[in-house]
Amino acid sequence: MALLPILHWPDPRLKTVAKPVTQFDARLKKLAEDMAETMYDAPGVGLAATQVDVHERLIVIDVSEDKKGLMTLVNPEIIWASPERRKYEEGCLSVPEIYDDVERPAQVRVRAQDVTGKFFEFDADGLLAVCVQHEMDHLAGKVFVEYLSTLKQGRIKTKLRKRAERAL
Protein backbone atom coordinates (compact mmCIF):
# COMPACT_ATOMS: atom_id res chain seq x y z
CA MET A 1 0.00 0.00 0.00
CA ALA A 2 1.04 3.60 -0.51
CA LEU A 3 0.17 7.04 0.78
CA LEU A 4 -1.32 9.25 -1.92
CA PRO A 5 -0.90 13.03 -2.17
CA ILE A 6 -4.10 14.91 -1.25
CA LEU A 7 -5.12 17.91 -3.37
CA HIS A 8 -5.75 21.12 -1.44
CA TRP A 9 -8.53 23.60 -2.15
CA PRO A 10 -8.75 25.74 -4.28
CA ASP A 11 -6.88 23.37 -6.63
CA PRO A 12 -9.02 23.33 -9.81
CA ARG A 13 -8.73 19.53 -10.09
CA LEU A 14 -11.08 19.31 -7.08
CA LYS A 15 -13.82 20.66 -9.39
CA THR A 16 -13.57 17.66 -11.72
CA VAL A 17 -16.71 15.53 -11.80
CA ALA A 18 -15.85 11.87 -11.24
CA LYS A 19 -16.78 9.25 -13.83
CA PRO A 20 -18.49 5.96 -12.93
CA VAL A 21 -16.24 2.99 -12.26
CA THR A 22 -16.69 0.31 -14.93
CA GLN A 23 -13.66 -1.93 -14.30
CA PHE A 24 -13.74 -3.90 -11.05
CA ASP A 25 -10.19 -5.18 -11.02
CA ALA A 26 -6.96 -5.33 -9.02
CA ARG A 27 -6.19 -1.68 -9.84
CA LEU A 28 -9.46 -0.55 -8.24
CA LYS A 29 -8.86 -2.70 -5.15
CA LYS A 30 -5.32 -1.28 -4.76
CA LEU A 31 -6.59 2.27 -5.20
CA ALA A 32 -9.21 1.71 -2.48
CA GLU A 33 -6.55 0.24 -0.17
CA ASP A 34 -4.17 3.16 -0.82
CA MET A 35 -6.98 5.65 -0.24
CA ALA A 36 -7.85 4.00 3.08
CA GLU A 37 -4.21 4.10 4.19
CA THR A 38 -4.02 7.76 3.16
CA MET A 39 -7.26 8.60 5.02
CA TYR A 40 -6.10 6.91 8.24
CA ASP A 41 -2.66 8.53 8.03
CA ALA A 42 -4.02 12.05 7.47
CA PRO A 43 -6.00 11.40 9.84
CA GLY A 44 -9.55 11.64 8.52
CA VAL A 45 -12.88 9.81 8.46
CA GLY A 46 -13.49 9.93 4.70
CA LEU A 47 -11.68 10.38 1.41
CA ALA A 48 -12.95 10.62 -2.16
CA ALA A 49 -10.85 9.57 -5.17
CA THR A 50 -11.18 13.12 -6.50
CA GLN A 51 -9.10 14.33 -3.54
CA VAL A 52 -6.17 12.17 -4.68
CA ASP A 53 -6.54 13.31 -8.31
CA VAL A 54 -8.30 10.15 -9.49
CA HIS A 55 -11.61 11.14 -11.04
CA GLU A 56 -13.61 7.97 -10.52
CA ARG A 57 -16.66 7.42 -8.28
CA LEU A 58 -14.90 5.82 -5.31
CA ILE A 59 -14.91 6.83 -1.64
CA VAL A 60 -13.62 5.31 1.58
CA ILE A 61 -15.16 6.07 4.97
CA ASP A 62 -14.52 5.00 8.54
CA VAL A 63 -16.38 6.89 11.27
CA SER A 64 -15.82 4.18 13.91
CA GLU A 65 -13.93 4.96 17.12
CA ASP A 66 -11.65 1.92 16.77
CA LYS A 67 -10.96 2.47 13.04
CA LYS A 68 -12.29 -1.00 12.21
CA GLY A 69 -15.40 0.11 10.32
CA LEU A 70 -13.93 0.80 6.88
CA MET A 71 -16.53 1.18 4.13
CA THR A 72 -15.56 1.31 0.46
CA LEU A 73 -18.25 2.77 -1.78
CA VAL A 74 -17.96 2.45 -5.55
CA ASN A 75 -20.44 4.42 -7.70
CA PRO A 76 -22.39 5.57 -4.62
CA GLU A 77 -25.73 7.29 -5.00
CA ILE A 78 -28.17 8.69 -2.49
CA ILE A 79 -31.51 7.08 -3.21
CA TRP A 80 -33.40 8.79 -0.38
CA ALA A 81 -32.77 11.78 1.86
CA SER A 82 -34.85 12.78 4.86
CA PRO A 83 -36.70 16.09 4.74
CA GLU A 84 -35.26 16.81 8.20
CA ARG A 85 -32.01 18.76 7.99
CA ARG A 86 -29.23 19.24 10.53
CA LYS A 87 -26.15 21.40 10.80
CA TYR A 88 -22.86 19.71 11.52
CA GLU A 89 -19.38 21.14 11.86
CA GLU A 90 -17.38 19.76 8.93
CA GLY A 91 -13.72 19.65 8.09
CA CYS A 92 -11.90 18.29 5.06
CA LEU A 93 -8.51 16.78 4.28
CA SER A 94 -8.41 19.05 1.20
CA VAL A 95 -8.99 22.12 3.38
CA PRO A 96 -6.71 21.40 6.36
CA GLU A 97 -7.53 22.82 9.79
CA ILE A 98 -10.66 24.64 8.57
CA TYR A 99 -14.02 23.76 10.13
CA ASP A 100 -17.47 25.26 9.67
CA ASP A 101 -21.15 24.35 9.89
CA VAL A 102 -22.91 22.87 6.87
CA GLU A 103 -26.59 21.96 6.79
CA ARG A 104 -27.51 18.66 5.14
CA PRO A 105 -30.27 16.04 5.26
CA ALA A 106 -30.17 14.31 8.65
CA GLN A 107 -30.56 10.80 7.18
CA VAL A 108 -29.84 9.22 3.82
CA ARG A 109 -30.16 5.84 2.14
CA VAL A 110 -27.21 4.95 -0.07
CA ARG A 111 -26.81 2.41 -2.86
CA ALA A 112 -23.26 1.56 -3.89
CA GLN A 113 -21.04 -1.25 -5.12
CA ASP A 114 -18.08 -2.87 -3.42
CA VAL A 115 -14.69 -3.30 -5.14
CA THR A 116 -15.93 -6.52 -6.76
CA GLY A 117 -18.98 -4.80 -8.27
CA LYS A 118 -21.55 -6.26 -5.87
CA PHE A 119 -24.41 -3.85 -5.04
CA PHE A 120 -25.47 -3.04 -1.48
CA GLU A 121 -27.59 -0.46 0.33
CA PHE A 122 -27.48 1.07 3.79
CA ASP A 123 -29.14 3.78 5.85
CA ALA A 124 -27.02 6.46 7.48
CA ASP A 125 -27.58 9.15 10.06
CA GLY A 126 -25.35 11.26 12.30
CA LEU A 127 -21.68 11.46 11.37
CA LEU A 128 -21.97 8.68 8.78
CA ALA A 129 -24.71 10.56 6.89
CA VAL A 130 -22.63 13.75 6.96
CA CYS A 131 -19.51 11.93 5.80
CA VAL A 132 -21.26 10.13 2.93
CA GLN A 133 -22.79 13.37 1.66
CA HIS A 134 -19.52 15.29 2.07
CA GLU A 135 -17.50 12.69 0.14
CA MET A 136 -20.16 12.38 -2.56
CA ASP A 137 -19.94 16.16 -3.01
CA HIS A 138 -16.26 15.66 -3.87
CA LEU A 139 -17.27 13.22 -6.61
CA ALA A 140 -19.50 15.97 -8.01
CA GLY A 141 -16.61 18.46 -7.94
CA LYS A 142 -17.77 20.33 -4.83
CA VAL A 143 -15.87 21.09 -1.61
CA PHE A 144 -17.69 21.84 1.67
CA VAL A 145 -16.45 25.44 1.81
CA GLU A 146 -18.57 26.15 -1.26
CA TYR A 147 -21.61 25.97 1.05
CA LEU A 148 -20.20 28.95 2.95
CA SER A 149 -20.55 32.63 2.12
CA THR A 150 -18.25 34.24 -0.42
CA LEU A 151 -16.75 36.28 2.42
CA LYS A 152 -15.89 33.14 4.43
CA GLN A 153 -14.47 31.45 1.32
CA GLY A 154 -12.21 34.46 0.74
CA ARG A 155 -10.98 34.41 4.35
CA ILE A 156 -10.25 30.69 4.11
CA LYS A 157 -8.29 31.15 0.86
CA THR A 158 -6.25 33.94 2.48
CA LYS A 159 -5.56 31.82 5.58
CA LEU A 160 -4.48 28.83 3.48
CA ARG A 161 -2.29 31.00 1.22
CA LYS A 162 -0.54 32.58 4.24
CA ARG A 163 -0.03 29.14 5.81
CA ALA A 164 1.52 27.86 2.55
CA GLU A 165 3.83 30.90 2.35
CA ARG A 166 5.02 30.34 5.93
CA ALA A 167 5.76 26.70 5.09
CA LEU A 168 8.20 27.70 2.32
Side-chain angles (χ1 to χ4, degrees):
M1 293 197 292
L3 293 178
L4 304 170
I6 298 172
L7 300 177
H8 289 142
W9 185 78
D11 189 309
R13 293 173 289 181
L14 288 168
K15 291 218 163 275
T16 306
V17 176
K19 295 188 175 2
V21 171
T22 57
Q23 297 284 335
F24 295 85
D25 54 14
R27 182 201 63 84
L28 179 67
K29 187 174 186 292
K30 172 141 179 30
L31 175 60
E33 290 169 355
D34 290 347
M35 285 174 55
E37 183 179 3
T38 301
M39 174 188 70
Y40 288 129
D41 183 73
V45 295
L47 186 67
T50 301
Q51 293 176 272
V52 294
D53 203 20
V54 177
H55 304 286
E56 298 178 44
R57 296 187 55 77
L58 170 65
I59 61 179
V60 293
I61 294 173
D62 189 345
V63 297
S64 68
E65 291 291 323
D66 62 5
K67 299 302 173 206
K68 293 185 176 167
L70 180 64
M71 299 176 71
T72 301
L73 310 178
V74 181
N75 298 325
E77 59 180 316
I78 293 172
I79 57 174
W80 174 84
S82 68
E84 178 191 355
R85 298 177 68 81
R86 288 205 186 120
K87 276 190 180 182
Y88 292 92
E89 184 179 68
E90 294 187 27
C92 182
L93 297 177
S94 290
V95 193
E97 299 172 31
I98 303 293
Y99 302 90
D100 214 318
D101 289 340
V102 176
E103 185 177 289
R104 299 182 184 275
Q107 299 171 311
V108 293
R109 180 169 299 123
V110 179
R111 177 184 298 133
Q113 293 168 276
D114 65 17
V115 293
T116 68
K118 181 180 176 194
F119 282 92
F120 64 98
E121 290 184 13
F122 64 95
D123 292 328
D125 60 9
L127 180 58
L128 180 57
V130 171
C131 192
V132 166
Q133 293 173 82
H134 176 109
E135 299 309 331
M136 287 183 65
D137 275 353
H138 279 298
L139 300 180
K142 188 169 186 174
V143 178
F144 90 98
V145 294
E146 294 174 47
Y147 287 99
L148 308 177
S149 70
T150 304
L151 178 63
K152 279 188 177 183
Q153 289 182 44
R155 288 181 180 160
I156 292 167
K157 282 180 185 174
T158 300
K159 184 184 260 186
L160 294 175
R161 186 173 50 250
K162 286 180 179 176
R163 190 183 302 152
E165 289 168 359
R166 283 193 303 269
L168 295 177

